[in-house]
C-alpha cells in the first residue's frame, strides 16, 4: 500500500516543484518521511544492500554450488587431506575458501550456512514477533488477570538461564528417533527455531504491552469504542498500526542476536543436524584441537560471515530506529 | 539372572567407554629410549588426564578401567600371576608368576589348580605382615559378594566351584577355594577352563587384606583405602590407623576429583620380583580438564607424559618434527571400533543390506578422519590380530585400498528385498531417514559426513544423532529404541582371549531389554522380545516372519569353543566362529583396530608399553627430572 500512495502523491509533488521552485509545504505520509530519512543513512543502506546480496546468495546457493563451483556442500574431496586428515588446500582457484577436515568446500558450506542462519533467524524472529504482539497487546489492552498471567510468563522466561535451558531441551529432544512431545518437536531446524522463538518473544511482548498501555487510553481509541468497535477490531485497526515502528526496529535488532543464538547452539553441537552446513558448527569444527593453527580458513570465513551478517542487521536496525523515530535528528 | 546380565552388560560398556577415552592407534615399534644398563632411578613421573574415569571408584574388586589395571599391576597389587609389563611382541599378553612361585599345578582332569606363594612378599605399612593365601581367597570372597558389584565377576562365577556372585557377605568362604596353609591355595573348577590363568591375572583376583577391606561392604568404598603389596603405595596410606574400622580415614594421596600420588613401598623386596624395574621414586596423576593444555604441558616439559592421541594440530607436530617423532608412541590397543546394525530393524533386517554396508563403507577415509595410521589400522573382522592371530589376513568384504567397493555393495543391495528394481540402490521408504547414533565429539563427528555419503550410494539416507558418549551407549543399549545402526560403539579386550571379545557381544547373555551389549540382537527369541515391549515384539515378528524364520544364534558355538583346551585348537574354534559371524550373520562393519598413543616429554628416558592393560608400563619407565614427591604433590 505504501508504494501506491507514494506514487499517487509523488507525481503532483514533482509537477508542483517544477512550476513553483520556491519551497512548498508538501503532504507526506509517515512512510515517505521514513524512507527519506532512512536513505540518507548511508551506513544503514550499505548494510541493507549487503543483506540483500547475502539473501540472494543464500537463495541461489544450490545453483552456485552445482553450476558455478561444481562442489556440493556434502561432497567429500578426501584427496585434499593429508594422511592424518588435516586439510592441505587453503583458499585457491578450485576451492575459494579452502577445504575443511572432511575435504568439503568451505565456500559452498559458507553460502549454504547463510541459508541456515537466515532461515532460522527469520523464522524464529517471525514466530517471536507474532507471539509477542499477540500476548503483549492482549496483556496491555485487557489488563487485569490476562496482564498478570502474561507479564509473569514474560518474567519467568526472561529469568531462565537461556543457554543451559536450550541445551537441555535440545539434548532431550535429540535422544530418541521421534523427538519429543510425541514427535511434535523434531531435532534439527524446527527445534532450534522453536527454542529461539520461545526465548525471544518476551522482548517483543514486553515492548508491545508497554506501548499498548499508553495507547489504549488515547481519545481515538475512546472514539472507536464509543462507535461500538469490538476488542479485536480496535486492536487490529487502531492499536496495531501505531506499534509498527517499534516492532520493526526491535524485530530487526533481534534477528542478529538470533543468528548468534543459532550459531551458539550449533557450536555446542545441539543445534541443527550434523551434515547441514551451519556457521556455528563450522566455527566449532575449526576451534576443536587448535585446528585453526593449521587451517585458518576453516575459522576465518564462517567467522567473518557471522560477524558481517550480525553487524549488518544491527546497522540496519539502528538506521530503521533513527528513521522511524521522529525525535531523532538525521544528519547528512 | 536377568538383572545380572543387565548389570554386567552396562558395566562392561562403561569400562569400554572409559578405555575408549584413552585414545586409539596401530601396532608398531615400541622400545624404550635405550632401556639398557644405565637407566637412572629417582624422579617423579608426572602425568595429567582430563578425567580419571574409574568405573568403580578404584576398588579393585569391581574396577573395570584399563588405566586402573595399569596402576594396580605396576604399582600396588601383586596377584598370583600377572603380566611382564611389556608390549605384545615381547610377551606382554602372557601371564607370568608374580606372587606365586610358578604358573600353578593343574590336575590331570583340568579341574584343580594349586599355587604356592613366594616368601618375602609383604603388605605395606601399617599392615607390615606377609601376604597369605587367605588374602587371595578373601579377594574371591569379595568378588562373590553381590553388594560389591564385581564388574567382571562372570569370569569366576560359574567357573570356580561355589561362586555365583550372589553372596551375602565377604566373610563367607568359597567352597571351591582351599587354603591348607598360609602359602598354598587350591582352586576347584566346575569345568576345564583354558584361559583360567588370564582370569587370575585380573586385578580383582589379586590378594586383599581383610583387616582394611573387610570394613567396606559397598561397591567402590575400598577405593579410598587400597593397600599395596607391590613396589609402590598411595601417598599417605602408611598413616592409616587400622586399629578399628572406625578409625580409618580416606588416604590423603588420592582425591577422586583432583589427584592420585604414589610413592615407594618400604616393605617391598625387589628380590621377589623379576618383572617390575621400579626406576621412578613416585608418580603423580592429576586432573586437568583442558585437553589442549595437557599436551602443551608435555611439549613444554612441565609434565612428563600423557595418554591418548593429541589433537590433530599437535599430532602433526609430533609426526613432522624430527625432534618430536620419538616422543609419540603408538601401540596396539587390542580393541575394535565398529558400526553395529540391528537385525530386527529395517533395512538392516535383510542380510544383503548388512553385507552391502560392509562393502560400501570407506574404511580408509574413516582411519584418515581419526588421525591416520597413528590411531590404528583398518579392521577387516571382529577381533584384532593381536588377540586372534589366526584371522590376520581375513577380509571377507575386500575393497581397493579399503576405500569401499560401491559395485560390490550395489550387487548385494540388488539381492535385498528393499531394492525392487534391482539397480543396487534401495528404493523402499524404509531407507529414508535411517537413524544412526554417533558420539558428539572428535573423531566420531568426522565419521558423520563420510558415512552419510557412503550409505547414500546404496540409497540409504542416514539421519545422524550425535550424543554424548554415555547417552549414546544408553540409547543403543535400550532394545525398545530399535536403533537401526550406530557408529559410537567399540570394544576392548579384558584379557587376550577371544572369549572376552566375543561372548557378550554376540551371545544371548549379552541381550536384555536395557543395558544390552549384543546391540544387533543376535539370538533374540520371542520370550525376551515380548518382555521388552510391544515395539520390540512387533519388530521381532516382522524380522522373523512371525517366528517362522528365527534370528541366528551362536550360543552353542561359543560353548563349544570355551571347552577347547587353550592354544591353537581354542583359537581355531573362535576363528571359525568369527568367520561365521562375519559372513552368515553380519552384525557389524568393523572399521578400525584402535591403537594406544602416548606422548612423552624429553624427561622420560626409559619407557615401555604394557600390552595387558594397554597403557604405559609404569614399572619400566624412568625419568631424569630429579623431582621429589614433596616438590610435586599438592595435597
Amino acid at each position: 500500500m505504501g508504494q501506491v500512495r507514494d506514487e499517487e502523491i509523488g507525481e503532483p509533488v514533482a509537477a508542483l516543484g517544477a512550476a513553483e521552485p520556491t519551497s512548498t509545504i508538501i503532504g507526506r505520509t509517515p512512510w515517505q518521511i521514513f524512507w527519506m530519512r532512512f536513505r540518507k543513512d548511508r551506513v544503514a543502506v550499505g548494510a541493507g544492500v549487503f543483506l540483500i546480496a547475502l539473501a540472494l546468495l543464500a537463495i541461489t546457493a544450490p545453483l552456485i554450488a552445482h553450476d558455478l563451483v561444481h562442489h556440493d556442500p556434502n561432497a567429500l574431496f578426501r584427496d585434499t587431506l593429508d594422511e592424518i586428515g588435516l586439510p592441505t588446500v587453503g583458499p585457491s582457484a578450485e576451492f575459494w575458501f579452502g577445504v575443511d577436515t572432511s575435504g568439503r568446500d568451505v565456500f559452498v558450506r559458507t553460502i549454504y550456512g547463510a541459508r541456515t542462519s537466515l532461515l532460522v533467524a527469520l523464522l524464529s524472529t517471525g514466530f517471536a514477533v507474532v507471539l509477542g504482539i499477540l500476548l503483549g497487546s492482549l496483556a496491555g489492552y485487557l489488563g487485569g488477570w490476562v496482564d498478570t498471567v502474561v507479564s509473569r510468563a514474560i518474567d519467568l522466561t526472561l529469568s531462565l538461564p537461556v543457554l543451559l535451558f536450550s541445551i537441555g531441551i535440545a539434548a532431550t529432544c535429540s535422544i530418541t528417533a521421534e523427538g519429543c512431545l510425541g514427535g511434535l518437536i523434531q531435532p534439527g531446524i524446527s527445534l532450534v527455531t522453536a527454542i529461539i522463538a520461545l526465548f525471544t518473544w518476551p522482548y517483543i511482548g514486553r515492548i508491545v504491552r508497554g506501548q499498548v498501555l499508553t495507547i489504549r487510553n488515547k481519545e481515538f481509541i475512546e472514539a472507536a469504542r464509543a462507535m461500538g468497535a469490538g476488542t479485536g477490531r480496535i486492536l487490529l485497526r487502531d492499536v496495531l498500526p501505531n506499534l509498527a515502528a517499534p516492532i520493526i526496529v526491535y524485530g530487526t535488532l533481534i534477528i542478529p542476536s538470533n543468528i548468534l543464538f543459532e550459531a551458539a547452539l550449533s557450536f555446542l553441537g545441539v543445534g541443527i543436524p550434523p551434515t547441514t552446513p551451519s556457521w556455528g558448527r563450522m566455527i566449532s569444527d575449526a576451534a576443536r584441537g587448535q585446528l585453526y593453527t593449521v587451517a585458518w580458513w576453516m575459522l576465518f570465513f564462517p567467522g567473518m560471515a557471522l560477524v558481517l551478517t550480525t553487524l549488518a542487521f544491527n546497522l540496519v536496525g539502528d538506521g530503521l530506529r533513527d528513521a522511524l523515530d521522529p525525535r531523532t535528528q538525521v544528519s547528512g | 539372572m536377568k538383572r545380572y546380565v543387565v548389570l554386567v552388560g552396562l558395566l562392561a560398556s562403561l569400562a569400554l567407554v572409559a578405555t575408549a577415552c584413552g585414545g586409539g592407534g596401530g601396532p608398531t615399534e615400541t622400545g624404550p629410549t635405550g632401556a639398557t644398563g644405565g637407566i637412572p632411578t629417582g624422579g617423579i613421573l608426572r602425568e595429567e588426564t582430563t578425567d580419571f574415569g574409574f568405573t568403580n571408584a578404584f576398588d579393585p574388586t569391581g574396577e573395570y578401567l584399563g588405566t586402573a589395571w595399569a596402576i594396580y599391576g605396576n604399582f600396588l597389587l601383586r596377584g598370583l600371576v600377572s603380566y611382564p609389563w611389556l608390549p605384545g611382541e615381547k610377551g606382554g599378553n602372557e601371564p607370568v608368576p608374580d606372587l606365586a612361585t610358578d604358573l600353578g599345578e593343574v590336575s590331570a582332569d583340568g579341574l584343580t589348580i594349586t599355587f604356592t606363594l613366594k616368601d618375602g612378599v609383604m603388605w605395606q605399612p601399617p599392615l607390615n605382615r606377609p601376604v597369605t593365601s587367605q588374602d587371595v581367597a578373601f579377594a574371591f570372597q569379595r568378588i562373590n559378594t553381590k553388594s560389591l558389584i564385581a564388574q567382571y565377576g562372570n569370569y569366576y562365577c560359574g567357573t570356580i566351584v561355589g561362586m555365583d556372585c550372589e553372596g551375602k557377605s565377604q566373610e563367607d568362604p568359597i567352597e571351591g577355594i582351599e587354603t591348607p596353609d598360609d602359602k598354598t591355595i587350591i582352586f576347584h573348577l566346575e569345568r576345564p577352563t583354558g584361559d583360567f590363568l588370564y582370569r587370575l591375572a585380573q586385578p580383582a583376583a589379586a590378594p586383599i587384606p581383610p583387616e582394611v577391606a573387610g570394613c567396606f561392604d559397598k561397591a567402590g568404598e575400598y577405593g579410598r583405602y587400597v593397600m599395596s603389596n607391590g613396589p609402590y603405595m598411595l601417598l599417605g596410606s602408611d598413616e592409616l590407623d587400622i586399629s578399628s574400622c572406625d578409625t580409618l580415614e580416606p588416604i590423603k594421596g588420592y582425591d577422586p576429583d583432583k589427584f592420585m600420588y604414589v610413592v615407594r613401598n618400604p616393605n617391598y623386596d625387589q628380590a621377589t620380583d623379576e618383572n617390575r624395574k621400579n626406576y621412578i621414586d613416585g608418580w603423580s596423576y592429576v586432573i586437568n580438564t583442558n585437553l589442549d593444555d595437557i599436551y602443551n604441558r608435555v611439549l613444554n616439559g612441565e609434565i612428563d607424559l600423557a595418554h591418548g592421541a593429541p589433537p590433530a594440530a599437535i599430532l602433526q607436530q609430533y609426526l613432522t618434527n624430527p625432534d618430536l617423532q620419538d616422543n609419540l608412541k603408538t601401540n596396539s590397543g587390542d580393541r575394535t571400533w565398529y558400526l553395529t546394525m540391528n537385525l530386527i530393524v529395517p533395512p538392516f533386517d535383510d542380510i544383503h543390506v548388512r553385507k552391502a554396508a560392509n562393502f560400501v563403507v570407506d574404511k580408509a577415509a574413516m582411519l584418515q578422519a581419526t588421525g591416520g595410521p597413528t590411531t590404528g589400522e583398518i579392521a577387516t573382522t571382529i577381533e584384532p590380530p593381536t588377540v586372534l592371530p589366526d584371522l590376520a589376513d581375513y577380509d571377507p568384504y575386500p575393497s581397493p585400498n579399503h576405500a569401499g567397493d560401491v559395485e560390490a555393495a550395489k550387487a548385494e543391495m540388488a539381492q535385498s528385498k528393499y531394492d525392487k528394481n534391482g539397480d543396487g540402490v534401495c528404493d523402499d521408504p524404509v531407507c529414508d531417514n535411517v537413524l544412526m547414533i554417533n558420539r558428539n565429539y572428535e573423531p566420531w563427528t568426522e565419521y558423520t559426513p563420510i558415512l552419510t555419503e557412503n550409505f547414500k550410494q546404496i540409497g540409504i539416507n542416514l539421519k545422524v544423532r550425535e550424543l554424548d558418549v554415555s547417552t549414546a551407549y544408553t540409547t543403543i543399549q535400550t532394545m525398545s529404541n530399535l536403533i537401526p545402526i550406530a557408529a559410537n560403539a567399540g570394544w576392548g579386550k579384558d584379557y587376550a582371549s577371544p572369549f572376552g571379545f566375543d561372548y557378550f557381544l554376540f551371545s544371548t547373555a549379552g541381550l536384555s531389554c536395557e543395558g544390552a551389549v549384543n546391540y544387533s540382537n543376535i539370538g533374540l527369541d520371542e520370550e525376551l522380545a515380548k518382555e521388552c515391549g510391544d515395539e520390540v515384539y512387533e519388530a521381532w515378528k516382522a524380522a522373523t516372519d512371525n517366528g517362522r524364520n528365527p534370528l541366528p544364534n551362536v550360543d552353542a558355538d561359543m560353548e563349544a569353543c570355551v571347552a577347547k583346551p587353550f592354544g591353537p585348537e581354542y583359537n581355531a574354534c573362535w576363528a571359525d566362529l568369527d568367520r561365521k559371524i562375519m559372513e552368515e550373520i553380519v552384525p557389524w562393519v568393523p572399521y578400525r583396530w584402535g591403537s594406544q598413543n602416548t606422548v612423552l616429554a624429553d624427561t622420560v628416558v626409559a619407557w615401555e608399553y604394557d600390552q595387558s592393560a594397554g597403557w604405559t608400563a609404569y614399572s619400566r619407565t624412568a625419568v631424569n627430572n630429579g623431582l621429589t614427591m614433596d616438590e610435586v604433590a599438592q595435597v
Side-chain angles (χ1 to χ4, degrees):
Chain A
M1 282 301 278
Q3 289 291 349
V4 180
R5 302 222 359 212
D6 256 3
E7 283 176 30
E8 277 169 10
I9 297 169
E11 287 301 320
V13 167
L16 274 173
E20 248 177 350
T22 49
S23 63
T24 316
I25 305 292
I26 304 168
R28 289 198 182 95
T29 66
W31 295 112
Q32 278 178 304
I33 297 167
F34 152 72
W35 178 241
M36 276 182 57
R37 291 161 66 105
F38 182 76
R39 73 182 177 195
K40 282 186 193 156
D41 188 345
R42 302 255 171 255
V43 177
V45 170
V49 169
F50 172 83
L51 289 179
I52 290 167
L54 186 76
L56 283 175
L57 210 55
I59 292 165
T60 57
L63 288 174
I64 294 171
H66 201 263
D67 298 326
L68 186 65
V69 192
H70 305 296
H71 298 157
D72 284 330
N74 282 313
L76 310 176
F77 300 91
R78 297 205 67 90
D79 49 1
T80 61
L81 307 176
D82 68 6
E83 195 185 48
I84 63 171
L86 290 174
T88 56
V89 178
S92 59
E94 169 80 11
F95 298 95
W96 298 352
F97 289 181
V99 296
D100 68 8
T101 48
S102 297
R104 296 174 296 195
D105 187 323
V106 174
F107 169 71
V108 172
R109 290 184 73 76
T110 305
I111 60 173
Y112 265 84
R115 285 166 83 91
T116 311
S117 286
L118 292 181
L119 185 71
V120 171
L122 293 177
L123 275 180
S124 58
T125 307
F127 285 127
V129 165
V130 169
L131 202 63
I133 290 174
L134 192 71
L135 295 176
S137 54
L138 282 176
Y141 188 77
L142 297 177
W145 66 268
V146 178
D147 189 22
T148 310
V149 170
V150 172
S151 298
R152 292 298 81 75
I154 289 174
D155 292 344
L156 186 70
T157 317
L158 289 178
S159 65
L160 290 173
V162 179
L163 207 53
L164 282 181
F165 211 75
S166 333
I167 292 171
I169 296 176
T172 311
C173 295
S174 299
I175 291 172
T176 60
E178 310 87 64
C180 51
L181 294 181
L184 191 68
I185 300 182
Q186 289 281 329
I189 287 181
S190 61
L191 175 63
V192 173
T193 306
I195 288 176
I196 297 177
L198 180 71
F199 284 106
T200 313
W201 75 267
Y203 296 99
I204 300 282
R206 212 162 45 164
I207 285 156
V208 169
R209 174 181 169 274
Q211 293 285 323
V212 173
L213 273 178
T214 60
I215 292 173
R216 73 169 178 186
N217 294 326
K218 293 264 167 71
E219 289 81 354
F220 69 96
I221 304 284
E222 296 280 331
R225 205 177 286 142
M227 289 195 305
T231 304
R233 188 187 160 84
I234 292 173
L235 278 177
L236 213 59
R237 287 300 173 101
D238 300 309
V239 175
L240 210 53
N242 286 290
L243 296 175
I247 289 171
I248 289 172
V249 170
Y250 279 95
T252 317
L253 289 173
I254 282 174
I255 291 174
S257 70
N258 286 356
I259 289 177
L260 289 175
F261 202 161
E262 183 273 322
L265 288 178
S266 296
F267 182 89
L268 295 168
V270 292
I272 51 144
T275 47
T276 307
S278 146
W279 293 339
R281 174 107 182 188
M282 290 169 81
I283 291 170
S284 113
D285 284 350
R288 184 251 320 170
Q290 304 171 6
L291 259 181
Y292 53 83
T293 60
V294 182
W296 58 269
W297 53 89
M298 283 179 63
L299 184 64
F300 180 79
F301 291 108
M304 280 310 284
L306 191 60
V307 168
L308 291 177
T309 307
T310 48
L311 184 66
F313 269 110
N314 276 310
L315 291 174
V316 169
D318 283 349
L320 288 175
R321 189 189 54 207
D322 292 347
L324 286 170
D325 186 346
R327 281 163 300 191
T328 51
Q329 291 292 318
V330 181
S331 58
Chain B
M1 183 60 194
K2 183 109 300 143
R3 203 180 310 155
Y4 166 65
V5 170
V6 170
L7 187 69
V8 168
L10 178 65
L11 296 172
S13 57
L14 275 177
L16 182 69
V17 171
T19 6
C21 293
T28 52
E29 194 73 8
T30 45
T33 34
T36 46
I39 298 174
T41 57
I44 305 294
L45 180 68
R46 297 159 300 169
E47 178 175 353
E48 290 185 354
T49 182
T50 52
D51 182 9
F52 288 152
F54 297 134
T55 68
N56 194 33
F58 203 60
D59 177 347
T61 301
E63 185 57 52
Y64 211 154
L65 181 72
T67 314
W69 295 0
I71 299 169
Y72 295 138
N74 283 278
F75 292 132
L76 307 178
L77 302 181
R78 300 183 63 183
L80 291 171
V81 293
S82 61
Y83 293 97
W85 326 113
L86 289 169
E89 62 272 21
K90 297 183 190 171
N93 263 337
E94 301 299 321
V96 292
D98 191 358
L99 184 57
T101 53
D102 54 29
L103 289 176
E105 195 178 308
V106 185
S107 65
D109 58 5
L111 293 177
T112 307
I113 305 173
T114 308
F115 291 93
T116 307
L117 272 59
K118 281 177 190 163
D119 291 323
V121 182
M122 299 278 289
W123 285 109
Q124 67 163 89
L127 292 167
N128 296 319
R129 66 167 177 82
V131 177
T132 67
S133 55
Q134 289 85 1
D135 296 330
V136 180
F138 187 68
F140 285 89
Q141 288 163 213
R142 282 176 65 82
I143 292 172
N144 200 41
T145 303
K146 192 175 177 182
S147 66
L148 289 169
I149 310 182
Q151 298 189 7
Y152 49 92
N154 54 289
Y155 291 137
Y156 316 98
C157 297
T159 298
I160 294 172
V161 173
M163 281 186 77
D164 59 4
C165 290
E166 296 283 334
K168 298 259 187 303
S169 162
Q170 54 184 332
E171 312 297 334
D172 298 341
I174 287 160
E175 192 191 332
I177 300 179
E178 279 181 72
T179 51
D181 59 58
D182 280 358
K183 294 288 169 204
T184 310
I185 186 161
I186 305 166
F187 294 94
H188 299 281
L189 307 186
E190 294 277 4
R191 56 179 177 180
T193 307
D195 57 9
F196 190 66
L197 275 183
Y198 287 88
R199 304 183 189 199
L200 282 184
Q202 296 286 97
I208 290 183
E211 302 95 304
V212 179
C215 297
F216 306 104
D217 56 6
K218 293 200 184 66
E221 282 181 339
Y222 177 58
R224 302 289 302 270
Y225 306 87
V226 176
M227 290 282 104
S228 167
N229 65 350
Y232 297 83
M233 61 184 187
L234 290 166
L235 177 67
S237 58
D238 49 344
E239 294 163 16
L240 277 191
D241 181 352
I242 56 169
S243 52
S244 81
C245 286
D246 297 333
T247 56
L248 290 171
E249 295 284 336
I251 293 169
K252 70 174 184 188
Y254 166 44
D255 181 328
D257 300 318
K258 293 192 181 115
F259 52 74
M260 178 180 283
Y261 300 113
V262 307
V263 293
R264 290 189 187 271
N265 170 8
N267 288 353
Y268 170 77
D269 180 2
Q270 180 79 59
T272 62
D273 197 340
E274 289 170 18
N275 288 304
R276 296 177 186 83
K277 301 302 176 196
N278 313 318
Y279 301 119
I280 53 176
D281 277 349
W283 174 68
S284 93
Y285 192 42
V286 174
I287 290 180
N288 175 354
T289 51
N290 185 338
L291 187 71
D292 289 350
D293 184 49
I294 292 179
Y295 289 100
N296 285 330
R297 282 165 65 77
V298 176
L299 274 174
N300 297 337
E302 293 166 45
I303 57 172
D304 305 297
L305 175 151
H307 285 94
I314 297 178
L315 178 63
Q316 191 187 40
Q317 292 185 45
Y318 278 96
L319 294 176
T320 53
N321 182 344
D323 293 340
L324 287 175
Q325 278 171 355
D326 288 341
N327 294 32
L328 172 70
K329 304 295 184 185
T330 299
N331 299 84
S332 166
D334 295 340
R335 65 187 68 149
T336 304
W337 296 101
Y338 59 93
L339 310 181
T340 176
M341 298 174 282
N342 197 329
L343 268 58
I344 62 169
V345 180
F348 299 107
D349 56 349
D350 186 319
I351 188 169
H352 295 294
V353 177
R354 301 199 294 273
K355 286 186 175 180
N358 267 282
F359 276 119
V360 87
V361 169
D362 183 348
K363 295 179 183 177
M366 300 278 279
L367 181 65
Q368 184 190 31
T370 314
T374 319
T375 60
E377 55 180 326
I378 286 167
T380 53
T381 183
I382 297 159
E383 297 188 37
T386 44
V387 175
L388 190 54
D390 305 42
L391 293 177
D393 299 318
Y394 176 62
D395 185 2
Y397 304 99
S399 67
N401 301 320
H402 298 290
D405 185 338
V406 180
E407 291 316 308
K410 286 185 167 175
E412 282 293 342
M413 179 55 94
Q415 297 174 51
S416 85
K417 61 184 172 189
Y418 298 118
D419 180 14
K420 294 187 182 61
N421 64 8
D423 64 352
V425 177
C426 179
D427 46 30
D428 193 285
V430 301
C431 290
D432 287 331
N433 285 325
V434 176
L435 185 68
M436 184 177 91
I437 299 296
N438 199 1
R439 298 189 191 184
N440 62 356
Y441 58 94
E442 299 293 329
W444 283 269
T445 44
E446 290 286 332
Y447 301 156
T448 298
I450 298 170
L451 293 171
T452 310
E453 289 297 291
N454 288 167
F455 277 92
K456 202 184 276 176
Q457 293 172 299
I458 50 172
I460 297 177
N461 292 310
L462 295 178
K463 181 164 84 173
V464 183
R465 290 280 162 79
E466 293 177 345
L467 307 170
D468 69 83
V469 61
S470 52
T471 311
Y473 268 115
T474 319
T475 305
I476 66 172
Q477 283 166 353
T478 306
M479 206 188 283
S480 59
N481 283 339
L482 295 172
I483 301 300
I485 181 168
N488 63 300
W491 192 261
K493 67 142 201 269
D494 289 341
Y495 57 87
S497 153
F499 172 82
F501 234 91
D502 275 8
Y503 189 66
F504 289 102
L505 296 169
F506 305 118
S507 79
T508 53
L511 279 178
S512 59
C513 300
E514 282 169 26
V517 285
N518 179 349
Y519 312 119
S520 300
N521 293 319
I522 297 171
L524 178 65
D525 60 12
E526 181 164 15
E527 190 188 348
L528 184 60
K530 253 183 193 164
E531 188 189 319
C532 295
D534 290 345
E535 298 107 325
V536 176
Y537 189 42
E538 289 306 316
W540 179 85
K541 280 198 287 190
T544 58
D545 193 13
N546 281 319
R548 280 185 284 276
N549 194 3
L551 294 172
N553 186 317
V554 290
D555 288 4
D557 306 69
M558 294 208 181
E559 289 308 319
C561 288
V562 170
K564 299 274 186 221
F566 207 62
E569 206 183 333
Y570 182 89
N571 280 354
C573 182
W574 288 103
D576 284 342
L577 178 57
D578 272 17
R579 287 192 195 93
K580 178 177 174 176
I581 294 171
M582 281 300 291
E583 292 168 43
E584 295 171 29
I585 303 176
V586 207
W588 284 13
V589 181
Y591 61 82
R592 182 167 61 95
W593 287 315
S595 56
Q596 176 65 47
N597 292 117
T598 315
V599 291
L600 309 177
D602 290 332
T603 47
V604 178
V605 291
W607 182 84
E608 195 64 272
Y609 182 68
D610 167 20
Q611 193 72 47
S612 68
W615 207 252
T616 285
Y618 295 116
S619 60
R620 290 177 179 270
T621 297
V623 293
N624 65 359
N625 59 27
L627 292 166
T628 64
M629 192 49 90
D630 289 343
E631 293 169 293
V632 173
Q634 308 272 327
V635 181

